[in-house]
Amino acid sequence: MEENMEEGQTQKGCFECCIKCLGGIPYASLIATILLYAGVALFCGCGHEALSGTVNILQTYFEMTRSAGDVIDVFTMIDIFKYVIYGVAAAFFVYGILLMVEGFFTTGAIKDLYGDFKITTCGRCVSAWFIMLTYIFMLAWLGVTAFTSLPVYMYFNLWTICRNATLVDGANLCLDLRQYGIVTIGEEKKICTMSESFIKMCESNELNMTFHLFIVALAGAGAAVIAMVHYLMVLSANWAYVKDACRMQKYEDIKSKEEQELHDIHSTRSKERLNAYT
C-alpha cells in the first residue's frame, strides 16, 4: 500500500514537472523562430541556387564571360550576393537563438520553476535593445524582399517572351540585357526569338527552375518579414510584462519594508510594556 502511494506521488511529481516545463516554453517566440528559420532557409538556399542558375544562363545562352582583372561585372556582383547570403544565414541563425533565450527568460512560468528573481535595469535594457534591433531587421528584410522581386520580374518577362514566341508564329521578340542594367550601354547582349540560343533556352528546364527558385526565395524573404513583425509583437508584450513586473516588485518591496517597520514598532512597544510591568 505504501509503495503504491509512493509510486503515485512520484508519477504526480513527474507530471507536474512536465506541465511546468511545457508551460515555461515561450510558444509565441517559438513560432516566430520557426517561421524565421524557414524564411531564411528558403531565401538563402533558393536564392543561392537561383544565382548559380543565372550565371549558367548568362554564360550559355547570352555568351557572356567574366571580365579580366578587377572590373566589377555582373558575375562579380553575383558572387558578392552569394557571400551576403552566407552572412545572412549565419547571422539570423544566431539571432533566432538569442530571441528564443530572451523569450524563455521573460516567460512567467520560468519564475515558478526557478523561484523569484530580481528584474534588473540591465534586463529591461536588453529587452528594449532587442526591440530596436528587430525593428531595424524588419526594415532590412522589407528592402531584401523588394530587391528580390527584381529578378522575379526580369525572369517573368523572359518567361513571357518564351511563351508568346511559342503561341505566335513568326513573332520576332528580343530581350536586351541593357534594359535591366546587367551590361553597360556600349555592350550589346541581345537575344531574339528567332535565334537558336533563344529556342534552346526556352526549351531547357534551367530557365523554368531558376525562375521558380527566385519566386521561392521571394516567398522566404516575405516569411522573414512576417517573422520579424511577430517578434516585434512578442518583444513588445514581454517589455510590457517586464515593466509591470518591475512596478509590482517595487510595490512588494515597499510593502514588505512597511510591514517590517510596523513589526519593529510593535516589538519595541511590547518590550517597553514588559519592562514597565516588571
Side-chain angles (χ1 to χ4, degrees):
M1 184 68 178
E2 292 180 356
E3 293 180 356
N4 294 332
M5 290 179 63
E6 290 179 357
E7 290 179 357
Q9 290 178 356
T10 303
Q11 292 177 357
K12 185 177 179 181
C14 293
F15 178 76
E16 290 179 353
C17 182
C18 292
I19 293 298
K20 286 184 178 181
C21 291
L22 292 175
I25 298 175
Y27 291 101
S29 297
L30 180 62
I31 293 172
T33 303
I34 293 174
L35 185 60
L36 176 64
Y37 282 168
V40 172
L42 288 176
F43 172 77
C44 294
C46 296
H48 183 274
E49 293 301 317
L51 290 174
S52 300
T54 301
V55 171
N56 294 331
I57 290 174
L58 292 176
Q59 290 178 339
T60 304
Y61 304 107
F62 288 90
E63 298 179 355
M64 293 182 62
T65 57
R66 291 180 178 269
S67 300
D70 297 331
V71 179
I72 298 179
D73 56 358
V74 63
F75 297 107
T76 305
M77 294 300 298
I78 288 176
D79 291 337
I80 293 173
F81 291 149
K82 286 183 178 180
Y83 286 115
V84 170
I85 284 175
Y86 301 150
V88 167
F92 279 92
F93 176 77
V94 176
Y95 191 66
I97 294 176
L98 292 177
L99 289 176
M100 273 297 297
V101 172
E102 195 274 343
F104 271 107
F105 279 101
T106 51
T107 300
I110 295 297
K111 295 180 181 181
D112 297 333
L113 287 174
Y114 298 104
D116 296 332
F117 63 94
K118 297 293 183 181
I119 302 172
T120 62
T121 305
C122 180
R124 297 195 297 272
C125 291
V126 168
S127 297
W129 179 252
F130 273 122
I131 292 174
M132 184 185 69
L133 277 181
T134 305
Y135 182 75
I136 293 173
F137 287 146
M138 183 197 69
L139 295 179
W141 274 109
L142 283 174
V144 170
T145 304
F147 183 78
T148 310
S149 64
L150 295 179
V152 174
Y153 172 73
M154 289 188 289
Y155 272 97
F156 176 77
N157 287 341
L158 184 57
W159 177 77
T160 304
I161 292 174
C162 289
R163 185 179 179 185
N164 291 336
T166 55
L167 294 177
V168 181
D169 294 334
N172 188 16
L173 304 176
C174 296
L175 178 70
D176 195 343
L177 296 182
R178 291 177 295 182
Q179 297 175 344
Y180 303 102
I182 296 178
V183 295
T184 59
I185 300 297
E187 257 184 296
E188 184 178 354
K189 292 296 180 180
K190 183 169 62 174
I191 187 171
C192 298
T193 57
M194 304 300 292
S195 63
E196 185 179 355
S197 298
F198 186 87
I199 296 173
K200 289 182 179 179
M201 181 181 63
C202 292
E203 291 178 352
S204 66
N205 293 325
E206 194 170 19
L207 176 63
N208 191 40
M209 178 63 69
T210 304
F211 177 43
H212 286 87
L213 284 174
F214 271 120
I215 293 176
V216 177
L218 178 61
V225 172
I226 297 174
M228 291 292 103
V229 174
H230 196 163
Y231 268 129
L232 277 177
M233 293 189 293
V234 172
L235 291 170
S236 299
N238 289 343
W239 166 255
Y241 171 78
V242 170
K243 190 175 180 180
D244 291 340
C246 183
R247 291 178 179 176
M248 183 61 67
Q249 179 179 304
K250 291 180 179 179
Y251 171 76
E252 292 293 337
D253 291 341
I254 294 173
K255 184 179 178 181
S256 61
K257 185 177 180 180
E258 290 178 351
E259 290 178 351
Q260 184 64 35
E261 289 177 354
L262 290 175
H263 178 72
D264 294 340
I265 293 172
H266 181 72
S267 299
T268 303
R269 291 181 177 178
S270 299
K271 290 180 180 179
E272 290 177 353
R273 291 177 182 175
L274 181 61
N275 293 332
Y277 178 76
T278 56

